[in-house]
Amino acid sequence: MQEFSRSLPMMLYRTLDAVMPRFRQIFSEFGLTEQQWRVLRVLWQHEQIAFRELADLTLISPPSLVGVVDRLTRSGLADRRRSDTDRRHVFVHATGKGAALESQVRPRVDKAYAELRGSVDTKTWNALIAGLEQISSIDEEAEEKTASRQVINE
């Protein structure tokens, strides 16, 4: 059995503990939580986005996302709109104030990323990202195989 401290979950926790404080410091300076940052980051890339898709992209559960979007709405950074054709569907978008915040926060975050990337060589960084993408897609691949087997058996 592998040594506990070298297990993948523990290595990921240690890495998060090493990486996230620098970003949380930046978010805090702008009055944002990590979850609010993730939502704004997605909103800056979409004119508007369906609530469910926003939950999927930010990896924030829909019940928790309601609170995050509520707080962003109260602070004037985001707003929600119900679909004109189906009131069950809600769309979220950045307000003008929320969009303007990107130009203030983004350079600081980009600088932190650059420093982080500079801590390892390009080959190591690319291998790390590729490996994490492969591991994080294991469940998706298993679900796709199961779904394709069900179609074949039907």
Side-chain angles (χ1 to χ4, degrees), residues 24-77:
R24 288 184 188 120
Q25 173 65 37
I26 296 167
F27 306 153
S28 175
E29 290 173 22
F30 290 92
L32 300 172
T33 65
E34 180 184 339
Q35 292 78 15
Q36 289 171 327
W37 162 258
R38 290 177 3 212
V39 169
L40 286 170
R41 184 77 170 74
V42 171
L43 296 181
W44 293 334
Q45 294 179 330
H46 297 82
E47 189 171 313
Q48 70 175 6
I49 188 168
F51 190 85
R52 181 68 207 176
E53 186 178 358
L54 182 60
D56 291 343
L57 290 174
T58 58
L59 301 176
I60 301 172
S61 70
S64 295
L65 185 58
V66 168
V68 175
V69 172
D70 283 349
R71 287 184 291 283
L72 286 170
T73 299
R74 279 195 301 272
S75 64
L77 299 173

Side-chain angles (χ1 to χ4, degrees), residues 15-16 18-27 34 37-42 44-45 57-59 102 105-122 125-126 128-129 132-133:
T15 302
L16 275 174
V19 169
M20 289 309 298
R22 72 186 71 210
F23 293 104
R24 288 184 188 120
Q25 173 65 37
I26 296 167
F27 306 153
E34 180 184 339
W37 162 258
R38 290 177 3 212
V39 169
L40 286 170
R41 184 77 170 74
V42 171
W44 293 334
Q45 294 179 330
L57 290 174
T58 58
L59 301 176
E102 180 180 14
V105 180
R106 193 68 186 269
R108 300 269 312 278
V109 170
D110 289 346
K111 182 178 183 225
Y113 266 111
E115 291 170 358
L116 187 59
R117 283 192 76 153
S119 68
V120 295
D121 62 78
T122 302
W125 181 268
N126 291 339
L128 173 64
I129 297 301
L132 290 171
E133 286 175 344

Side-chain angles (χ1 to χ4, degrees), residues 7-9 11-12 127-142:
S7 68
L8 181 60
M11 296 293 292
L12 291 171
L128 173 64
I129 297 301
L132 290 171
E133 286 175 344
Q134 186 174 2
I135 290 169
S136 68
S137 68
I138 288 172
D139 283 346
E140 293 169 16
E141 292 172 9

